[in-house]
Amino acid sequence: MLIAMNVLETLWTKIKQALICLRPGRVTLPYPFAPHDPEEGFRGLPRLNVDKCIGCGGCANVCPARLIRIVDKDQTTRVLVFLYERCTFCGRCAEVCPEGAIEMSREYELSTDDVHDDMIGEYHIFMGPCERCGRCYRPPSVLDKLQQPGFRSDCIDRKCPPEGCRIVLDEDTDDRAEAPTQTASR
Amino acid sequence: MSRHVELDEDRAVTAEQITDSMRRRLGDGLLDSRPAGPTRLYLTVDPAKIVDAADELFNGLGARFVISAGTDERENRGGFRVSHFFSFDDEDLYVALHALVPEDDPRIDSITPIIPGANWAEREIQDLLGVTAEGHPDPRRLVLPDDWPADVYPLRCDFDTRDRPASAEGMAPPMKNRPEGAVMVPVGPYFPTQHEPEAFAVFVEGEVVVDSDYRGFYNHRGIEKLGCADLTYNQIPFIAERICGICGFVHSCAYCMAVENAAGIEVPRRAQYIRTIFLELERLHSHLLWTGVAAHIIGFDTLFMQTWRMREPVMWLCEQLTGNRKTYGMNIVGGVRRDLPADAHEKIEKVIADVEREWSALTDAVPGDRTLIARLEDVGTLTPDQVRQTCCLGPTARGSGVAIDLRIDHPYAAYGELEMEKCVEDGCDTLARTLVRLAETPVAIDIIRQCLAKMPDGEIQATIDEEIPPGLEGIGAVEAPRGESFHWVLTGENNRPKRWRVRAPSYQNLQAIGPMIHGDVLADVPIDIGSIDPCYSCTDRMTVIDRRSGQMRVMTREEILDRR
């Protein structure tokens, strides 16, 4: 009798389980054959807008995975190298950027079948004396406060008039070609 | 356990009483007693008296052993600091026992003979810092790779994070000897039902387990070293979050709480509520995940598929709210980074209402399943006394009637303002541990609802104007889905911690696997191991057993490559 009841109870739970399975139907998404957009507010790969960047290096300073490398190529060019393969999408760089130059994109599909794709984003920021007015980039800026190695002192120290010119050459597109350039290998 | 119960009449141990009783027991051996607020007590004792002090706390006063930590303080104090941490769960009090071991004689008496749960903790100090635990019953290497040189201690300050000692061939883990007449069965390093690699050596006579051994830490990532040497206070939360692949938020939360505790930072209430909501969302999806994994281990894949289907909307919800489905990146010292969006309440309510409805249908259908119960009942027995001795935590302890739940015992974040009850079962078996988790899932949903109702407006980050001074210590502990996640931070120079100690709950729970599987049949071993919801590090090797001699040998990388 007891056994029969146990059998019946188990059978009854199995029926309930079957209903639980049947109700939602098929839920598997066709990804990757159909695109799957991330949710609203997703933090994807950080992208730098070279027109806004002032080269202060705050992003490199806070990055927990330390994937942002800053190199000064010459007197007027600062290169920000993003080693994207290390990126954890935490978004700290975008958070601390004083100019809002970094945006967390919605890109997340980073795998590649190209062996030469080194997942490096290289951004060239034009720094130092303005080519048009010959004066330097306006202080006081975030740069003044940063006294850490890796930052050029020559362009920080230089005095500049208070109305100092912001070197991004917005109005004159002819000059732009040789000023801020953006090369990104992906 | 017996002494724990005897103390019941004169409970309510206060920090003063602990200091008094330590002074009686140790005399001049108690060098310093420093309470930090009502819930923390830092004691410094003579290293020669460390066993007496630990015995007084664990056996005399009935404290629970938490973890040990070793710190290299040769530069500023001329020695190594060995710390043992204890918790008085009924009194919401954490007690640290510090002792300074001289540099030229780095030895300290082992407390493992009186507290079996300190076994791994002391071996870890021995491995990483080179402070020998004298009289340790099992002083084998635990954390470091087998080919790591004997006199190189990675946690010492003079070891650079970029140093890589040369590897050696032909090394084998120092495993226990096979008992006479028993056969050794390896579970792992790669075992189909364990979602992470681990290596158990299970010794069986016929079908019955008579002994076992464990080798883990194969891919120890040195996160603590990184945290002490390279990273700043606000970089660590993001690394801490990646300690666990399921419940990472508890680690970043516990870390931030430890720093806030050390520096006396007051976290705004709204941030506390946001942390609580995500801690419970995480518990919700973690328990759903565990239910699925446990079902999968015993071959009940229907349940596996359905719980994981139910889990997915929770992950999507977290992605909407925080920007990522698992690594929320919300915590920062002093609060949280992102406020909840305006429509968060409706979004959360919709998802948890769906999960609640489906969960109640599931819990209605599943526990009546005799096949399932037959697989779980009276399997993997762990008595309350064994829980106390091995210092188990979370659902593993609560399934054996030991009611430790930090959310009530040591209220943190917003839990002090919320109402909840501990879920405790006294079956002491795998079924009991399952029932605890089944019962906790609706409790998590209820807590989220309470948070949404009570959440105040306001700031989400405390303003921190001054640099955190060196030499302060703080403890942060969070009830993770698997038990207590414990972080201790000793502040240092240059905006960096001097020492950051992490103890995940599985660290203690894995030490209970031995007593748990003892006497079970071999077929139940996977679900026994699964029942503590273990989190392992990864391993990259292979164990080969010679069938005739029973000798175990670890293959070298070259041998494996040759075989391919």
Side-chain angles (χ1 to χ4, degrees), chain B residues 26-236:
Chain B
L26 307 176
D28 294 342
L30 181 68
L31 304 176
D32 183 34
S33 165
R34 198 167 48 82
T39 57
R40 306 282 189 268
L41 176 64
Y42 301 108
L43 303 171
T44 310
V45 297
D46 183 349
K49 294 277 176 70
I50 192 90
V51 177
D52 284 346
D55 184 51
E56 183 63 27
L57 286 173
F58 187 75
N59 289 323
L61 297 167
R64 170 171 63 85
F65 173 76
V66 179
I67 191 63
S68 307
T71 315
D72 181 358
E73 293 196 280
R74 287 175 298 171
E75 254 171 50
N76 49 355
R77 293 174 69 202
F80 300 103
R81 184 206 288 245
V82 174
S83 321
H84 298 302
F85 296 91
F86 295 86
S87 164
F88 288 88
D89 291 319
D90 293 329
E91 291 84 13
D92 182 16
L93 180 65
Y94 277 105
V95 180
L97 210 57
H98 298 300
L100 194 72
V101 183
E103 178 181 358
D104 45 17
D105 184 25
R107 284 184 298 161
I108 193 159
D109 290 331
S110 168
I111 61 166
T112 306
I114 54 164
I115 309 172
N119 185 332
W120 285 15
E122 289 199 310
R123 281 158 74 186
E124 191 174 341
I125 297 179
Q126 193 166 288
D127 273 19
L128 299 180
L129 201 66
V131 178
T132 319
E134 290 281 306
H136 194 291
D138 182 16
R140 292 176 296 164
R141 182 171 276 194
L142 177 77
V143 178
L144 291 176
D146 301 314
D147 63 350
W148 188 275
D151 52 350
V152 178
Y153 303 107
L155 214 49
R156 290 192 178 180
C157 290
D158 42 20
F159 183 89
D160 192 89
T161 40
R162 281 163 291 269
D163 286 353
R164 298 281 181 277
S167 55
E169 289 304 336
M171 309 297 282
M175 297 297 257
K176 271 189 206 168
N177 284 330
R178 183 170 53 96
E180 194 62 37
V183 174
M184 190 281 217
V185 179
V187 176
Y190 299 104
F191 193 72
T193 60
Q194 301 294 320
H195 45 277
E196 283 168 276
E198 77 299 309
F200 287 94
V202 181
F203 302 105
V204 290
E205 274 177 18
E207 282 268 356
V208 181
V209 179
V210 291
D211 202 359
S212 63
D213 198 8
Y214 174 75
R215 172 70 172 150
F217 298 93
Y218 280 129
N219 207 358
H220 187 259
R221 290 160 289 179
I223 282 181
E224 286 179 14
K225 175 76 179 174
L226 203 62
C228 314
D230 282 24
L231 301 176
T232 59
Y233 284 119
N234 269 341
Q235 284 176 329
I236 294 180

Side-chain angles (χ1 to χ4, degrees), chain A residues 4 12 25 28 32-33 40 46 50 55 65 82 85 92 94 110 135 137 142 146 149 154 163:
Chain A
W12 179 229
T28 313
F33 305 106
E40 208 54 51
V50 285
F82 281 64
E85 57 175 23
R92 275 290 275 166
L110 306 183
R135 285 171 308 197
Y137 161 74
V142 193
L146 286 165
D154 52 356
E163 71 280 8

Side-chain angles (χ1 to χ4, degrees), chain B residues 283-425:
Chain B
R283 188 178 327 276
L284 188 61
H285 77 62
S286 176
H287 279 355
L288 286 168
L289 173 133
W290 178 84
T291 312
V293 171
H296 177 60
I297 290 175
I298 54 175
F300 188 6
D301 276 5
T302 312
L303 186 57
F304 168 51
M305 301 286 174
Q306 295 308 316
T307 52
W308 281 50
R309 171 182 61 75
M310 287 159 58
R311 175 177 182 260
E312 201 54 24
V314 184
M315 310 303 284
W316 288 339
L317 172 71
C318 290
E319 187 174 311
Q320 283 178 14
L321 299 177
T322 70
N324 200 297
R325 55 184 272 128
K326 152 65 188 61
T327 42
Y328 309 148
M330 289 285 272
N331 277 320
I332 203 124
V333 175
V336 291
R337 288 167 63 204
R338 227 193 237 208
D339 207 345
L340 292 183
D343 58 347
H345 288 222
E346 295 87 75
K347 278 180 178 166
I348 298 175
E349 181 53 44
K350 188 182 172 306
V351 172
I352 59 177
D354 283 352
V355 172
E356 190 177 37
R357 187 172 38 79
E358 297 215 59
W359 183 256
S360 64
L362 200 80
T363 42
D364 176 45
V366 169
D369 195 328
R370 292 277 150 185
T371 336
L372 185 80
I373 290 175
R375 281 303 311 269
L376 302 178
E377 207 168 16
D378 294 328
V379 158
T381 315
L382 196 68
T383 64
D385 190 51
Q386 284 167 335
V387 167
R388 168 140 172 86
Q389 293 303 323
T390 49
C391 313
C392 289
L393 301 155
T396 312
R398 292 197 286 277
S400 295
V402 181
I404 312 167
D405 191 327
L406 266 59
R407 293 175 288 175
I408 291 169
D409 296 333
H410 301 276
Y412 53 92
Y415 288 105
E417 300 174 21
L418 307 173
E419 280 171 27
M420 61 163 288
E421 275 183 18
K422 294 178 182 176
C423 304
V424 185
E425 292 281 334

Side-chain angles (χ1 to χ4, degrees), chain A residues 147-176:
Chain A
Q147 296 291 328
Q148 65 173 81
F151 290 88
R152 283 186 357 199
S153 55
D154 52 356
C155 65
I156 300 171
D157 291 340
R158 202 166 305 174
K159 296 280 176 288
C160 189
E163 71 280 8
C165 106
R166 184 76 201 281
I167 44 78
V168 178
L169 308 170
D170 286 329
E171 309 90 358
D172 195 344
T173 40
D174 292 339
D175 289 311
R176 259 185 106 136

Side-chain angles (χ1 to χ4, degrees), chain A residues 65-82:
Chain A
R66 288 171 295 174
L67 56 101
I68 307 170
R69 202 165 56 201
I70 296 188
V71 231
D72 283 348
K73 211 165 137 193
D74 55 49
Q75 281 291 303
T76 53
T77 319
R78 169 161 290 174
V79 185
L80 267 70
V81 185
F82 281 64

